[in-house]
């Protein structure tokens, strides 16, 4: 899964490590761990994830919507 964060950093996450919302959330938390100014907001879930067309993917449907 290709992930671009709010500050423009780009990540590639293996499908097996982010196919569930819980797993994806853990990777996002790790990505922001060293960024004190935003890590608190990330841990609180104050962000949206969007698909390639810009549509927001809700956490409740992540497991069924996202595919490799």
């Amino acid at each position: 899964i290709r992930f671009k964060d709010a500050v423009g950093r780009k990540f590639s996450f293996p499908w097996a490590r982010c196919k569930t919302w819980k797993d994806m959330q853990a990777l996002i938390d790790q990505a922001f761990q060293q960024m004190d100014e935003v890590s608190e907001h990330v841990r609180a879930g104050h962000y949206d994830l969007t698909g390639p067309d810009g549509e927001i993917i809700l956490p409740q449907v992540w497991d069924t919507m996202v595919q490799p």
Side-chain angles (χ1 to χ4, degrees):
I1 298 290
R2 291 193 176 120
F3 175 74
K4 182 177 176 185
D5 69 15
V7 294
R9 298 178 306 161
K10 296 178 183 179
F11 299 85
S12 289
F13 296 143
W15 168 247
R17 296 282 315 271
C18 59
K19 62 183 179 181
T20 69
W21 175 252
K22 183 178 178 178
D23 291 340
M24 185 62 180
Q25 191 174 29
L27 289 171
I28 294 169
D29 287 348
Q30 286 179 353
F32 282 92
Q33 191 171 17
Q34 301 299 321
M35 299 185 73
D36 294 334
E37 65 276 2
V38 293
S39 64
E40 183 178 321
H41 293 285
V42 171
R43 281 193 305 275
H46 298 160
Y47 56 85
D48 291 322
L49 294 183
T50 58
D53 296 327
E55 74 280 4
I56 295 173
I57 303 171
L58 296 173
Q60 297 86 347
V61 298
W62 178 266
D63 299 6
T64 57
M65 294 288 295
V66 177
Q67 52 188 316

